[in-house]
Structures are given as C-alpha cells and as structure tokens.
Amino acid sequence: MSALAPLRLLREPSNASEGNQGNATAGASGGWCQGVDIPNELFLALGLVSLVENLLVVAAILKNRNLHSPTYYFICCLAVSDMLVSISNLAEMLFMLLLEHGVLVMRPSIVRHMDSVIDTLICSSVVSSLSFLGVIAVDRYITIFYALRYHSIMTLQRAVVTMASVWLASTVSSTVLITYYRSNTILLCLIGFFLFMLVLMLVLYIHMFALARHHLHSISSQQKPPTAHRGGSLKGAVTLTILLGVFFICWGPFFFHLILIVTCPTNPFCTCFFSYFNLFLILIICNSVIDPLIYAFRSQELRRTLREVVTCSW
C-alpha cells in the first residue's frame, strides 16, 4: 500500500480478492500493468506549489475590498478547496512517512481513525472543489446572459447561502463516502456527480461562447476586414478548450477509475488500469495548481493585489 495514496480506499475494488488481482494482472501485459512509480518528492512539491498559489489568491481577495463580490468569493472558495486538497495530501504523506520510519508510534485503531479523518478531509475538499467549479460556471453564465439583473439575482446573501450549502453538502457526502466506500451505490453517486458537473460546464461554457461569437459577428459585419471577429472567436475557442480540457484531463482518469471499479473489478484491463491510481491523484493535485492560473490570476485587479501581497505593501 503506497504511503502517498490519498483516498487509497478507492485504489482497487473491495470485491476483488488478492488472488484474482494477481491472476488478472499476470494474464495481461506485464510491463503495462506495472503502473507508474510516483516519487514522494513530486507529491510534496506539487502540494507546496498549490498551497502557496491558493493561499496568495485567498489573501489577495481578503485584502482588496474591490474583490469583495460574489464572483470573487466563489473563486476564493475554490482556492480554499484546492488548498485543502494540498494540505490533506501533505498531511497524509507526512503521517504515513512518520509511521513507516518508526518516528510516530500509534495503536492500529488510532491509525485507522486518523486515516479515516484525513481521507474524509481529502474527499470533502475534492467534492467542494468540483462543486465550486460548477458554481463559478453558473455565476459566469448569469453575468453574461443576465448582466443587468446580475446584482439582483446573485445577491451577497444568496452567495453566502450557496457557499455554505456547498461546504455542508461536501462534508456530509464525503463522510458517507468514506463510511460506505465499499458500496457500489455510493460510487455511482460520486460518478454521477462528476458527470453532472462535466455536462453542466460543457453546456454553459459552449452557450456563453456561442453568444460571444454571435456578438462579435454582429460587430465585425459592420467592419472590413472582419479581423476582430476571427481573433475574438479564436480566443474564445482557446479559452473554452482550456477550461473544459483541464477539467476533463485532471478529473476524468480518477472517475474513469471509479467506473471500472463498479463495472469490471476483475477484468485484466481494468486491473492494470487500477495500478495507475497514484498518477490519477497527481492529476487532481495538478488541477489545484492550474485552477488559480485559469480562474484567478487572469484578473488584472487581483494580479495587482497579489503583487502588493507578495511585496508586503499592506
């Protein structure tokens, strides 16, 4: 069992015995089934980078009153979720390393309890991170399609209720998941949640891009040559591709892993796929590193505040 495997309860199907796992692996391509050896230092480095990035985002939003709006509060919550992903991964890594090297000596029952607590924190941060990605997509949609009514639709009170609901739902769902992780029903609910978020973001962002393209077409039709139209459409397409591409690449393999646990726990191909679990976790941590670059650092106001935070210009 890897010392650096958060959510390792989901590493492989519980209904597949060790014998079946070994036979299935032996019957498949041996080299391909060896998985990827992820060094501890990589988990540590990515976790620290993500922690610093998201901490800077939170500090900048709290410091600048111009950023005290529902949109930036949602970005702040996403940063906190990603920060918790990093903190919980680092905590589990250090906890397991201390146990392995005999620095920390604890009774097995206490170790299991601590492991469950850390796994619950990891799962809660993962679910909340996914949720706030969806919330930010909805907020952007309202900003574009209901611009004149945005402040009456997305009031500060509604934003607070939304944030509190996401955190509460994430905590409750993660507790249930860790408690009943052997149930395929629970895994199906988690898979369904990911697919819902994927479809939601896909529909909303494509609709926003279509509106932007139509608007640029209306403007460029009055200009010759219509270079603004082509340039704007290309920029919008690139932005859309980055948003959805990063989301799918970083989260897709982990949830495909869960789908295989439910559908083919003893199939040779599925068994080989399970051996890459740590790689899927690295992609999730990478998402915590990339999120600030996509959702926060693109704001000129926030970048200016970040420079003040870094240079201690308080």
Side-chain angles (χ1 to χ4, degrees):
M1 180 179 297
S2 173
L4 300 176
L7 294 179
R8 62 186 176 281
L9 297 173
L10 302 175
R11 168 179 294 279
E12 60 188 21
S14 58
N15 58 339
S17 65
E18 294 294 332
N20 288 338
Q21 293 282 331
N23 293 336
T25 303
S29 174
W32 187 76
C33 292
Q34 296 302 315
V36 178
D37 184 21
I38 306 294
N40 297 354
E41 293 77 10
L42 182 58
F43 277 93
L44 179 61
L46 287 176
L48 290 176
V49 171
S50 173
L51 178 61
V52 171
E53 275 188 351
N54 289 288
L55 190 59
L56 287 174
V57 171
V58 173
I61 292 176
L62 293 179
K63 177 184 183 297
N64 191 340
R65 291 185 177 275
N66 293 332
L67 302 178
H68 292 183
S69 64
T71 296
Y72 284 102
Y73 285 151
F74 295 146
I75 292 177
C76 183
C77 285
L78 176 63
V80 172
S81 298
D82 289 339
M83 194 164 53
L84 288 177
V85 172
S86 303
I87 292 174
S88 53
N89 274 279
L90 292 174
E92 180 155 34
M93 180 191 70
L94 294 175
F95 179 66
M96 297 301 295
L97 286 177
L98 290 175
L99 287 176
E100 287 183 357
H101 290 83
V103 177
L104 186 63
V105 179
M106 303 175 68
R107 289 184 299 178
S109 58
I110 298 179
V111 173
R112 286 193 297 270
H113 179 70
M114 289 293 296
D115 183 64
S116 296
V117 171
I118 294 175
D119 278 334
T120 301
L121 177 61
I122 295 171
C123 186
S124 178
S125 57
V126 166
V127 173
S128 62
S129 182
L130 278 171
S131 300
F132 282 115
L133 287 174
V135 169
I136 290 173
V138 173
D139 180 73
R140 287 184 170 183
Y141 185 85
I142 296 174
T143 301
I144 291 178
F145 285 91
Y146 303 94
L148 298 179
R149 298 173 50 201
Y150 175 81
H151 294 290
S152 61
I153 296 175
M154 188 56 69
T155 62
L156 182 59
Q157 182 179 6
R158 287 177 179 170
V160 171
V161 171
T162 299
M163 291 183 289
S165 300
V166 169
W167 286 115
L168 179 61
S170 299
T171 303
V172 172
S173 61
S174 61
T175 302
V176 173
L177 172 63
I178 297 303
T179 304
Y180 301 101
Y181 72 96
R182 294 181 182 274
S183 170
N184 282 349
T185 302
I186 296 299
L187 294 183
L188 286 173
C189 290
L190 188 58
I191 294 168
F193 172 68
F194 167 75
L195 293 177
F196 171 76
M197 285 300 169
L198 178 61
V199 172
L200 176 68
M201 293 177 65
L202 186 65
V203 171
L204 293 183
Y205 281 124
I206 288 180
H207 196 190
M208 284 185 276
F209 170 66
L211 176 66
R213 188 174 183 275
H214 175 73
H215 179 66
L216 288 171
H217 178 71
S218 299
I219 295 176
S220 63
S221 63
Q222 305 172 9
Q223 303 173 354
K224 296 180 181 182
T227 54
H229 172 218
R230 290 195 296 268
S233 296
L234 179 59
K235 183 179 179 180
V238 170
T239 301
L240 176 66
T241 302
I242 292 175
L243 286 171
L244 297 177
V246 168
F247 179 82
F248 185 77
I249 291 173
C250 290
W251 290 99
F254 174 76
F255 282 92
F256 185 60
H257 173 95
L258 299 186
I259 292 174
L260 296 185
I261 287 180
V262 175
T263 57
C264 58
T266 59
N267 182 276
F269 169 80
C270 299
T271 305
C272 287
F273 195 81
F274 298 151
S275 65
Y276 289 83
F277 186 73
N278 276 355
L279 178 60
F280 310 150
L281 296 177
I282 281 291
L283 290 176
I284 291 179
I285 299 176
C286 286
N287 182 252
S288 300
V289 175
I290 297 172
D291 276 347
L293 303 177
I294 297 178
Y295 294 96
F297 295 158
R298 298 180 67 189
S299 166
Q300 184 177 358
E301 179 77 10
L302 194 141
R303 289 199 306 271
R304 182 183 64 80
T305 308
L306 280 173
R307 286 194 293 270
E308 295 177 358
V309 172
V310 172
T311 58
C312 299
S313 303
W314 295 81

